[in-house]
Amino acid sequence: MANASEMVQLLTALSSGQNQERQQAEKMFQTAKAGNPDSLILGLMAIISDESVDEALRRQAAVLLRQLVTKGSDKDFAFAKLQPNVKQEIAAELLRRFESMTNQKMQQKVGDIISKLAESVCDQDDQRGWLAPGQCGWPTLLQAIFRLADCTQNTNTVLCEASIRLLKDVVDAFKTEISAAQAQLGGVVQNSLQHQDVKIRCAGFVLVCELVGILDKKVWAPLTVTGPVLTQVLVQLCQANLQEEVQECLQQYLEIASVEPDFFKHQLLQSMEPAKTLATLVKTKTGLEEGIRNMAMEWLTVYCEKKPKWLAKSLPAFAGLALECCMDLMLEVEDGPDALKEWAERMDDEEGEEDQDELYHNGEEAIDRIVEAIGMEAVGTALFQLVGHFSSQDKWQAKLAALTAVKQTVEYVEDHSHVGEMAKLLLAHMDHPHPRVRCTAAHAMGQLANDQAPHFQDAWHSTVMPKLLQLFDDSVDRVASMSMSAFVSFGEELDNALMAEYAPTFMGKLVSRLQSSKHRMVLEESITSIAVIAGVIGKDFSLYYDVIMPLLKQLVLNAKGEKESRLRGKAFECLSLLGLAVGKEKFLPDAKDAIGLMLQTDLGTDELLREYIKEASERICKCLKNDFAQFLPHLMPSVFKSLKLEGEEAGAGNVATRADDDDNEYVEITGADGKLVKVRTSKFEELVSAVQLIITYCDEMGGSFFDWIQSTAQALLPLMASTDEAMLLCDEARSAAYIAWSKLIKCARTGALERNQPPTLANELLRTFLQRVVVTVQSETDPDTLKDVGNGLSECLKNAEPGSLGGQEVGQLAEQLFKLIDESFIREAAEQKSALEDKASAPAELQADEDEEDDEESENQCRQCMEEALGGLMQVAPEYFATSVLPECAKRLQAWLGSKQHRILAFFLGCDLILHLKELSQPVWQVLIPAVLQGLGDEDADVRTPCAYALGLAAPLPSFAQAAPDAFRKLGTLLGGPVPKKRDDSGKIAMDNCVSAMLLLARHQHAACPQDVPAWQLVVNKLPIRDDEDEAKKVHKALVELLTEQNAGLIGPNNAHLGKVLSALAEAYKQEGLSNDELDIEIQNLFKRFPVQILETCAQVFSEKQQKKIQKMLTMA
């Protein structure tokens, strides 16, 4: 192999177009790599240096050599097999070749090899690549690079540039050494940035950025003084029209903005640079590649995302400048009849859609991200001025930009008057002569409906719905389909009673379009629109069912074209939604046909259609419940097949190019048998989908799934308990499998009860989970993995039979859970200490500010899941827990409540103790209840929520009477205070929990309510509650019960509260999230029991929508 001609022959054969010749060469290469790596590596080095060899072969040799010195499996890491003296010889020779190489491209290739080798020889945790036994590192490399990168000593500008770039590439490997070499490093940086050759200045630029990205903040802090110079270099590169180098520098700028945005703070405060320069690039319409303008925009956007609070406080003009750039980019839309024709005929799922008008789309995305990051309060004025300015211009592109800005930002608008102004602007442009303006107006209307529901629908339906119907017949099919899409968004949140009035007209139009149109997008959106109407009006859709169902079946049978996958999927989707709407009795015969069509569909690698069919089968299961069992023999074999992570054995492939493959379709993993196998990345998604199907089947079928439990458990167990590399990559599927296992336990309990059998299978499943999953994580340190196990254990315990675990088992599990929580605290403390040490020496302007990210969320979630598992133990064995584990809980509460960082965990534990142990939890109340009352006043909504929830849990217990007066006062203060803002999700959920707690206190502890706290009035003023859906259903159910009991406090003196309470129940009726099927029936029966004259006296309180809903309730059978 050392013979040069043989090596040339081998390299030539490896690139051969003849399979047999190439495969034979690959086999020879693999044999040499395994049995004679010295000769192979030395032979490749000889080819790299031989200028008489064709340059393509030399580059190929360099690629292969880079592979061989790169850390990897023992099979591929050939450098590790060499003797120390050979390793040292190769390292030294690479340096010599790098310094002497005259071919610039080959010099770069050798530099790439050196940087990869540096990673291997400097790895403290892997000795295989070390140059000498017991000696980590490459002592001569860094000094050689410093010498060659010093442009005051090295007059060879090509070599100097290459050396600076090589220094950049080894920063990570030599982080400690470079940090200690401040003087040499400073000299290289300063001299390169001042050099007369602009390419050396460019190399200096990327070196500085790499240093900032990798070194500790205290080390790179002095480099902030280079900020103005870096901006100057960027300008000089633009002036020299070196656009490739400009893109490289912008990419480096972007990385710094992402990982160390503080680097730019001082320069921004001094001069608004580099923002001004980058904004100029964004707005430069000629002479610059689009990629440069896009990257400049991306830097402005990323900086807004990384430092939103600091910018709003210290540099408010930054966001306005960024928004101007977004609007400028959104003007970049091709004009002319040919461009319009191409746009109108292109389907939205066809390749090239996003590539067309790329600048426009990037501006569109950026304005959304900027407003989301900075907040409407800070940018609203600037944004509305820009929208007004652009919408008032005559050019259609300007109007398009204005409407796009509305579409992208309406989500963040809180003021209803602003929403109204946006709606008027959109309506005014839905008749615009240019199709793209009409289309975007419709698109924005749909987005507005999504983001401002249901208030927007309630207030604007009479204006918007006729306009959308008119656009269904637009002369441009793409506009018509977009108007249908907008109807889907608007209609999904339109009230049942209102939709019932519009349904005849809209159904007539949609059926007509479905039967007459040949345009795929019109057909797709017609189907989805019909599905929305069915979903909203429910059983009333029976009027249209017999016409629509045959059309859908026909579409499924006929839509088999290459580009009709989504159309077919939407037909399946609509089929299943119609079933949910009309109910099992009417749908069952068609359900059999639908399942048959699904089973006949050859999915191949069509992931989109696979997902549509999976979701449709879940809906059919939800509709049919127990009757779905008849389809399981046909469906479960494919589910079990999807749960097997099978791959094809990975061959050598084309070794000449494998390292440079950018094919993300496959991933190579080592299986349990040690073989390297190649698995499609889509297989991991298929695994998750299969597990989710099992969860749905269990949820909807309950005990009817009993006969499939054991085979399903057998199929799930390898996914949950395996430790090989393949399964470890399936973290999402494994997490879902834990939940599926808990569902199997529940089905086993229900099925056994229905069959009059003991819960033997449920208990076996629980013990299997404990033995095969929980035991294996005792040495686990990854918080995300532990979180998943804790969550799975919690769900398994909650679904288990009470008493299914013995006292000793409960005690051991509790001890293990507390241990895992303690270990999480230790990991978190170590991370915090390391972070503090890193920032200790940084200057004041680089210290943490209001935008400092919280890196502790994973550990917090891990601990919360372990605490939830403790709650599961309480549920399984409450008496044992109260006598044997509660004392330890008391100690933990005392300790955790004393820490601001850990008190939320304490409140969660307190909630579970009250929920599951009831009065048995009283021994901890002396510590818990005062802390809960104090926590209600905390500024952190995530603290207030569990505190309010705890009071709601304690309120029904007689022994809570002593603390009730203080609870009334604390809750009264919160309920009478300011309303949380629209985007303050945590604040809104905390408020809902306060309303729920006050209702429970008023109901169960009314005698303890202080006279100055109008408890019932405060509750009524907040109705209905919407944000915490669990609490919403509980509160609305309680209102029905209290009205049925004619509770005087809720009704109020002279029925003062009655209208508002009935209004809230009418609002909740048939609203997913606020009510459920059972509660809907209770609400309907309640309204029917009320005398008509009483309802009429309350009518002035009801909105138009509520009046229609009440009327419908009263007339329904």
Side-chain angles (χ1 to χ4, degrees):
M1 188 63 71
N3 185 292
S5 62
E6 291 181 3
M7 182 62 72
V8 168
Q9 289 175 8
L10 175 65
L11 292 170
T12 303
L14 284 171
S15 301
S16 172
Q18 300 296 319
N19 284 340
Q20 186 175 356
E21 182 181 7
R22 188 178 65 253
Q23 289 170 2
Q24 185 177 357
E26 288 172 354
K27 186 176 180 180
M28 290 177 59
F29 182 87
Q30 297 295 340
T31 300
K33 184 168 69 172
N36 198 5
D38 306 56
S39 178
L40 178 60
I41 290 175
L42 290 170
L44 290 171
M45 288 188 63
I47 295 296
I48 291 169
S49 303
D50 190 343
E51 294 186 2
S52 66
V53 176
D54 179 73
E55 186 174 327
L57 290 180
R58 295 172 68 197
R59 288 200 299 270
Q60 183 184 355
V63 169
L64 291 173
L65 183 55
R66 191 179 79 231
Q67 292 176 9
L68 298 176
V69 302
T70 300
K71 286 182 299 181
S73 65
D74 289 338
K75 175 185 173 184
D76 294 322
F77 190 13
F79 185 79
K81 302 173 186 177
L82 307 183
Q83 293 299 314
N85 63 316
V86 180
K87 289 180 177 179
Q88 293 162 23
E89 176 189 342
I90 290 170
E93 184 61 21
L94 281 170
L95 269 178
R96 286 193 291 270
R97 301 280 169 89
F98 176 77
E99 185 170 355
S100 61
M101 194 76 68
T102 56
N103 183 313
Q104 189 172 357
K105 289 184 178 179
M106 289 306 303
Q107 187 177 57
Q108 182 180 343
K109 290 287 186 184
V110 174
D112 292 341
I113 299 169
I114 291 172
S115 66
K116 278 296 179 185
L117 182 57
E119 293 176 14
S120 301
V121 303
C122 294
D123 189 341
Q124 294 278 0
D125 300 320
D126 187 350
Q127 299 185 21
R128 293 177 302 161
W130 290 7
L131 296 180
Q135 179 183 322
C136 178
W138 191 344
T140 59
L141 176 61
L142 194 57
Q143 289 307 312
I145 297 176
F146 274 139
R147 172 176 58 80
L148 296 174
D150 185 351
C151 48
T152 61
Q153 299 181 37
N154 183 3
T155 57
N156 183 338
T157 55
V158 173
L159 176 59
C160 186
E161 180 196 352
S163 301
I164 296 170
R165 291 184 177 278
L166 178 56
L167 178 58
K168 163 192 163 289
D169 291 339
V170 301
V171 169
D172 198 19
F174 287 94
K175 180 178 176 180
T176 302
E177 294 84 350
I178 287 176
S179 298
Q182 292 279 323
Q184 288 173 290
L185 181 64
V188 170
V189 168
Q190 182 177 355
N191 293 330
S192 62
L193 291 176
Q194 295 176 348
H195 198 274
Q196 61 183 6
D197 189 316
V198 70
K199 290 199 171 184
I200 288 184
R201 295 201 294 277
C202 177
F205 184 114
V206 297
L207 171 61
V208 170
C209 292
E210 187 75 5
L211 293 167
V212 174
I214 290 178
L215 301 183
D216 295 338
K217 186 174 285 190
K218 61 186 177 184
V219 178
W220 64 252
L223 292 174
T224 55
V225 298
T226 65
V229 183
L230 297 183
T231 304
Q232 186 180 4
V233 170
L234 191 62
V235 172
Q236 291 165 349
L237 290 169
C238 291
Q239 292 170 343
N241 200 31
L242 295 172
Q243 300 206 26
E244 187 175 332
E245 285 77 6
V246 172
Q247 291 207 40
E248 180 186 23
C249 290
L250 285 176
Q251 184 60 48
Q252 292 291 326
Y253 250 1
L254 261 175
E255 291 178 15
I256 298 306
S258 297
V259 298
E260 290 290 1
D262 289 346
F263 175 77
F264 298 102
K265 283 168 69 173
H266 179 72
Q267 187 186 4
L268 284 167
L269 283 174
Q270 295 295 110
S271 61
M272 267 283 279
E273 291 289 2
K276 286 183 177 179
T277 294
L278 295 175
T280 301
L281 294 181
V282 173
K283 297 178 180 183
T284 301
K285 299 184 185 295
T286 57
L288 274 186
E289 294 179 6
E290 286 189 1
I292 291 175
R293 298 177 66 189
N294 285 330
M295 291 177 75
M297 184 73 251
E298 180 67 7
W299 186 92
L300 294 167
T301 306
V302 167
Y303 207 82
C304 286
E305 291 174 328
K306 292 296 180 179
K307 306 298 294 182
K309 295 176 183 176
W310 180 80
L311 287 173
K313 178 182 177 181
S314 305
L315 206 64
F318 187 103
L321 180 65
L323 291 179
E324 289 176 19
C325 291
C326 294
M327 299 300 289
D328 267 40
L329 286 186
M330 288 191 290
L331 292 173
E332 300 285 339
V333 183
E334 287 192 42
D335 200 1
D338 291 341
L340 179 58
K341 184 174 184 291
E342 182 184 354
W343 172 85
E345 293 177 352
R346 190 171 55 246
M347 303 294 171
D348 62 358
D349 61 347
E350 289 181 347
E351 287 187 16
E353 169 67 13
E354 289 303 317
D355 295 334
Q356 200 73 20
D357 301 324
E358 185 181 352
L359 290 169
Y360 164 81
H361 287 303
N362 281 326
E364 176 185 39
E365 178 191 347
I367 198 167
D368 185 346
R369 291 164 58 190
I370 290 166
V371 176
E372 180 182 19
I374 303 291
M376 190 60 79
E377 280 189 5
V379 301
T381 300
L383 174 67
F384 296 141
Q385 287 176 350
L386 286 167
V387 168
H389 172 67
F390 278 73
S391 64
S392 64
Q393 296 179 36
D394 292 332
K395 289 184 65 175
W396 70 266
Q397 291 95 332
K399 294 184 182 296
L400 182 74
L403 299 179
T404 303
V406 170
K407 171 175 69 75
Q408 296 298 97
T409 61
V410 68
E411 174 185 358
Y412 314 111
V413 177
E414 297 201 11
D415 190 324
H416 287 307
S417 66
H418 289 157
V419 173
E421 291 304 312
M422 287 180 160
K424 291 176 186 176
L425 178 66
L426 300 179
L427 287 164
H429 286 83
M430 291 175 84
D431 294 318
H432 192 274
H434 200 285
R436 293 199 66 168
V437 175
R438 295 198 304 277
C439 188
T440 301
H443 193 174
M445 187 64 76
Q447 194 64 50
L448 195 159
N450 263 332
D451 297 331
Q452 299 293 335
H455 306 291
F456 179 62
Q457 281 84 340
D458 293 348
W460 288 83
H461 67 89
S462 61
T463 306
V464 172
M465 290 286 276
K467 183 62 72 174
L468 291 175
L469 184 65
Q470 174 190 325
L471 280 182
F472 282 13
D473 285 323
D474 195 277
S475 59
V476 178
D477 281 327
R478 189 164 181 179
V479 178
S481 70
M482 182 57 74
S483 67
M484 293 175 186
S485 177
F487 166 76
V488 167
S489 298
F490 196 93
E492 281 178 328
E493 296 298 330
L494 190 62
D495 186 75
N496 170 289
L498 295 173
M499 180 64 88
E501 295 184 353
Y502 290 109
T505 308
F506 275 79
M507 282 300 300
K509 179 64 67 179
L510 290 166
V511 171
S512 171
R513 297 246 56 187
L514 192 59
Q515 292 174 325
S516 62
S517 179
K518 302 297 182 185
H519 192 271
R520 181 160 55 86
M521 285 168 58
V522 170
L523 293 174
E524 289 172 357
E525 294 303 332
S526 296
I527 293 171
T528 306
S529 298
I530 290 170
V532 164
I533 293 174
V536 174
I537 67 175
K539 288 190 179 296
D540 290 343
F541 193 81
S542 298
L543 294 170
Y544 315 102
Y545 181 88
D546 292 334
V547 174
I548 298 300
M549 186 57 72
L551 291 175
L552 293 174
K553 290 181 184 178
Q554 201 62 37
L555 263 175
V556 170
L557 289 170
N558 294 337
K560 295 182 178 179
E562 182 182 351
K563 296 183 178 180
E564 292 182 314
S565 176
R566 188 171 70 178
L567 176 59
R568 200 171 190 213
K570 282 183 175 287
F572 277 124
E573 177 184 61
C574 191
L575 276 167
S576 61
L577 287 166
L578 263 57
L580 279 176
V582 301
K584 175 169 65 174
E585 291 74 17
K586 190 169 184 63
F587 179 59
L588 184 56
D590 293 310
K592 294 177 181 178
D593 292 343
I595 294 293
L597 290 168
M598 291 177 188
L599 292 171
Q600 293 167 22
T601 302
D602 181 13
L603 295 173
T605 58
D606 191 335
E607 298 305 321
L608 178 65
L609 186 54
R610 184 189 301 277
E611 186 64 17
Y612 271 117
I613 287 179
K614 175 243 178 188
E615 292 179 357
S617 68
E618 288 178 310
R619 292 189 201 97
I620 294 173
C621 180
K622 185 176 181 180
C623 174
L624 301 185
K625 304 292 185 186
N626 296 349
D627 287 330
F628 192 78
Q630 62 188 290
F631 303 117
L632 292 181
H634 307 288
L635 296 172
M636 292 305 292
S638 64
V639 173
F640 293 155
K641 183 179 179 181
S642 294
L643 289 174
K644 293 180 180 178
L645 190 62
E646 297 173 339
E648 55 190 90
E649 188 169 350
N654 188 340
V655 295
T657 58
R658 195 171 60 198
D660 292 332
D661 258 347
D662 192 28
D663 183 5
N664 294 321
E665 198 173 339
Y666 288 92
V667 59
E668 288 186 357
I669 53 178
T670 304
D673 57 1
K675 288 184 178 179
L676 193 68
V677 294
K678 190 166 61 171
V679 180
R680 278 186 176 274
T681 52
S682 60
K683 181 63 183 177
F684 297 108
E685 298 168 9
E686 186 182 335
L687 270 172
V688 175
S689 293
V691 179
Q692 289 171 342
L693 263 179
I694 291 170
I695 292 172
T696 299
Y697 293 166
C698 290
D699 280 340
E700 302 303 333
M701 297 176 63
S704 297
F705 195 72
F706 188 86
D707 293 337
W708 291 90
I709 289 175
Q710 288 183 313
S711 54
T712 303
Q714 189 176 1
L716 282 174
L717 195 57
L719 185 58
M720 297 198 312
S722 178
T723 56
D724 65 52
E725 181 184 2
M727 290 306 181
L728 291 176
L729 285 172
C730 311
D731 51 349
E732 185 180 356
R734 191 171 62 248
S735 174
Y738 295 155
I739 303 303
W741 197 271
S742 75
K743 303 292 184 181
L744 293 180
I745 293 174
K746 187 174 182 179
C747 288
R749 279 186 66 194
T750 306
L753 190 63
E754 292 171 354
R755 292 161 174 75
N756 293 316
Q757 296 178 7
T760 306
L761 180 56
N763 293 342
E764 288 176 357
L765 289 168
L766 176 60
R767 280 188 163 72
T768 299
F769 188 89
L770 296 176
Q771 294 163 5
R772 300 291 295 274
V773 178
V774 176
V775 171
T776 62
V777 299
Q778 292 184 2
S779 59
E780 181 63 64
T781 59
D782 177 59
D784 292 323
T785 300
L786 289 166
K787 174 197 74 175
D788 291 340
V789 172
N791 188 40
L793 174 59
S794 169
E795 294 302 314
C796 286
L797 290 169
K798 289 173 184 176
N799 289 334
E801 188 79 15
S804 55
L805 293 180
Q808 185 177 1
E809 291 173 303
V810 171
Q812 289 174 346
L813 263 176
E815 183 180 347
Q816 184 178 353
L817 290 168
F818 280 128
K819 179 173 178 287
L820 289 169
I821 290 173
D822 290 339
E823 289 171 351
S824 172
F825 284 139
I826 292 170
R827 288 193 300 270
E828 185 178 76
E831 290 172 5
Q832 290 172 343
K833 181 181 178 183
S834 175
L836 287 172
E837 289 174 351
D838 181 36
K839 296 167 185 173
S841 303
E845 65 270 18
L846 298 182
Q847 294 292 344
D849 57 25
E850 52 271 80
D851 290 305
E852 195 71 14
E853 292 184 4
D854 182 5
D855 296 326
E856 300 159 8
E857 190 58 32
S858 292
E859 294 291 359
N860 281 331
Q861 291 177 356
C862 169
R863 293 191 292 268
Q864 287 176 17
C865 286
M866 297 304 163
E867 186 286 316
E868 288 175 12
L870 286 169
L873 288 176
M874 300 175 205
Q875 190 170 331
V876 168
E879 291 81 9
Y880 178 86
F881 199 99
T883 57
S884 301
V885 185
L886 188 60
E888 180 63 24
C889 290
K891 294 178 185 175
R892 300 290 176 147
L893 282 173
Q894 187 82 49
W896 296 347
L897 287 169
S899 166
K900 184 177 181 180
Q901 194 173 358
H902 304 150
R903 59 196 169 141
I904 292 178
L905 184 65
F907 290 135
F908 285 146
L909 177 58
C911 288
D912 273 328
L913 290 170
I914 300 172
L915 174 64
H916 299 299
L917 305 188
K918 305 291 190 292
E919 278 89 352
L920 294 177
S921 66
Q922 283 189 61
V924 303
W925 286 17
Q926 188 175 359
V927 172
L928 177 62
I929 299 302
V932 164
L933 292 171
Q934 183 179 358
L936 279 176
D938 199 278
E939 62 181 13
D940 186 350
D942 290 334
V943 173
R944 298 196 300 274
T945 296
C947 290
Y949 184 62
L951 293 180
L953 293 171
L957 304 178
S959 49
F960 187 68
Q962 184 177 353
D966 284 342
F968 273 113
R969 287 196 174 89
K970 292 281 188 179
L971 289 169
T973 300
L974 285 171
L975 295 179
V979 177
K981 294 182 178 178
K982 179 187 172 185
R983 294 185 59 76
D984 182 10
D985 293 331
S986 297
K988 291 189 291 186
I989 288 174
M991 185 63 76
D992 281 359
N993 277 267
C994 289
V995 175
S996 180
M998 182 67 95
L999 176 64
L1000 288 162
L1001 279 170
R1003 183 178 188 180
H1004 297 286
Q1005 301 286 348
H1006 55 88
C1009 182
Q1011 290 186 353
D1012 59 338
V1013 179
W1016 288 113
Q1017 182 68 59
L1018 290 168
V1019 169
V1020 170
N1021 288 344
K1022 296 293 183 183
L1023 298 176
I1025 66 174
R1026 299 178 180 275
D1027 296 287
D1028 188 324
E1029 294 184 354
D1030 290 337
E1031 292 307 303
K1033 295 183 183 75
K1034 293 177 190 175
V1035 166
H1036 301 148
K1037 182 175 178 60
L1039 293 177
V1040 173
E1041 294 169 351
L1042 289 164
L1043 285 180
T1044 303
E1045 297 166 4
Q1046 298 185 343
N1047 182 282
L1050 176 63
I1051 295 172
N1054 299 317
N1055 292 344
H1057 303 158
L1058 183 60
K1060 184 68 169 70
V1061 176
L1062 291 175
S1063 168
L1065 290 175
E1067 187 71 26
Y1069 178 71
K1070 294 289 185 182
Q1071 284 290 311
E1072 187 179 359
L1074 307 188
S1075 183
N1076 53 39
D1077 292 344
E1078 180 184 340
L1079 182 54
D1080 285 339
I1081 294 172
E1082 293 179 16
I1083 292 173
Q1084 182 184 349
N1085 291 336
L1086 176 74
F1087 273 95
K1088 285 185 172 182
R1089 288 196 298 270
F1090 268 97
V1092 174
Q1093 58 269 29
I1094 292 182
L1095 294 177
E1096 288 175 349
T1097 61
C1098 300
Q1100 61 184 2
V1101 181
F1102 303 146
S1103 68
E1104 175 202 2
K1105 176 181 75 173
Q1106 291 162 4
Q1107 289 180 22
K1108 292 180 183 294
K1109 292 175 77 172
I1110 293 169
Q1111 186 62 38
K1112 190 167 185 178
M1113 280 190 268
L1114 296 177
T1115 56
M1116 285 176 66

